[in-house]
Amino acid sequence: MYQQIADALRAQITDGTLPPGAKLPTEAELRGEHGVSRETVRKALALLLNEGLIVSARPQGHFVRRREPMVFRPQAEFRKRPYTPEMDAFMTEFSEEGREPRQEIEVAIVEPPEDVATRLRLRSGELVAVRKRIRYLDGEPFNINDSYFPLDLVRDSEIMRPESIAKGANETLADLGYRQVRALDELHVRMPTPDQVHRLDLGPGTPVAYHIATGFTSDGRPVRVAVSVLPGDRHVVSYERIREDENGDA
């Protein structure tokens, strides 16, 4: 019965009968409508909570989750910067959309995770500088963006400061003599780690996409690995592709 109750509520959410922000019937109302116990109703609501369709706002009740996803465009990384001298790309783009962006930045010198060390082709014991960022829209943590750089390349540069870089880390690397001319993008979808659940304030059952971008210089040296963690209920990943002709030209 709890699955049937969840199916009925899910259908109403999907067809718009219960629009974003709408309050669901109370537990007492659902018990009376379906002739079931409180435990059965709570199991039905738990299903919808785990699917990310509703949120609990006690003592008011349960509400249909509002969704206003961020469009994540990996191809925008190499666009010319800065858009304005005061704001980085993330801050500028979403301010122009009428939303309220902000980000928390932490910089540290660490031993890299094994997969990052492999992508950067580091020797055992080599350290990296990591810029850890949590990006917020309208007060909600939307994604994580952690960028790793070989420490010997960026020591004493702007990259080491825990603040926004108006011209962007890519241009800072270029000024240091390590301009990235291509990037390898990888997408993985999985459940988040406990640390990511905490940093992003994720609800139960929310999968995340990992976008891992490795940037290379013209001589093929990897100089940056950026790991973005994108909650599945807050993002649309958008790529643009151009068909090449037989000669390999766009």
Side-chain angles (χ1 to χ4, degrees), residues 41-79:
V41 168
R42 290 185 172 179
K43 289 176 70 174
L45 294 173
L47 274 182
L48 300 179
L49 283 166
N50 286 335
E51 293 173 15
L53 291 176
I54 65 173
V55 295
S56 175
R58 294 181 178 179
Q60 293 92 339
H62 293 82
F63 296 82
V64 179
R65 183 165 189 168
R66 294 183 182 274
R67 297 178 184 272
E68 191 175 359
M70 172 193 293
V71 178
F72 181 78
R73 300 180 177 91
Q75 71 270 23
E77 182 179 9
F78 293 139
R79 288 189 300 192

Side-chain angles (χ1 to χ4, degrees), residues 87-131:
M87 301 174 67
D88 76 356
F90 168 75
M91 301 292 286
T92 303
E93 181 171 352
F94 291 101
S95 292
E96 291 175 348
E97 292 183 2
R99 306 182 74 174
E100 296 182 6
R102 69 178 178 89
Q103 54 187 339
E104 296 177 356
I105 303 174
E106 175 188 347
V107 176
I109 298 173
V110 299
E111 292 188 7
E114 183 178 351
D115 59 332
V116 171
T118 299
R119 288 180 172 87
L120 288 174
R121 302 176 192 164
L122 299 178
R123 296 185 298 272
S124 177
E126 285 192 86
L127 300 178
V128 296
V130 57
R131 289 177 60 84

Side-chain angles (χ1 to χ4, degrees), residues 82-88 92 165-167:
Y83 297 92
T84 69
E86 298 83 13
M87 301 174 67
D88 76 356
T92 303
I165 303 173
K167 62 184 176 183

Side-chain angles (χ1 to χ4, degrees), residues 130-249:
V130 57
R131 289 177 60 84
K132 294 186 175 183
R133 293 188 289 182
I134 302 177
R135 290 168 162 173
Y136 295 78
L137 282 179
D138 305 322
E140 181 180 12
F142 253 65
N143 64 50
I144 291 170
N145 178 265
D146 295 343
S147 294
Y148 298 84
F149 309 85
L151 181 60
D152 62 335
L153 302 189
V154 301
R155 193 190 305 269
D156 300 323
S157 72
E158 286 184 90
I159 287 171
M160 302 301 298
R161 301 175 186 172
E163 57 192 32
S164 295
I165 303 173
K167 62 184 176 183
N170 288 338
E171 199 60 33
T172 299
L173 272 178
D175 291 346
L176 295 170
Y178 304 102
R179 180 174 294 281
Q180 299 165 82
V181 299
R182 66 182 179 90
L184 174 64
D185 293 303
E186 304 169 66
L187 279 172
H188 308 263
V189 179
R190 63 186 71 159
M191 298 306 294
T193 65
D195 177 65
Q196 291 158 358
V197 170
H198 173 71
R199 292 175 73 186
L200 290 168
D201 192 23
L202 298 177
T206 305
V208 295
Y210 288 73
H211 174 247
I212 305 174
T214 306
F216 297 85
T217 59
S218 58
D219 61 0
R221 179 177 183 177
V223 294
R224 176 176 179 250
V225 171
V227 181
S228 296
V229 182
L230 315 171
D233 61 347
R234 304 174 198 173
H235 291 83
V236 173
V237 179
S238 175
Y239 276 92
E240 182 178 14
R241 296 184 292 169
I242 299 176
R243 181 175 181 175
E244 296 180 347
D245 60 26
E246 294 180 355
N247 297 320
D249 297 324

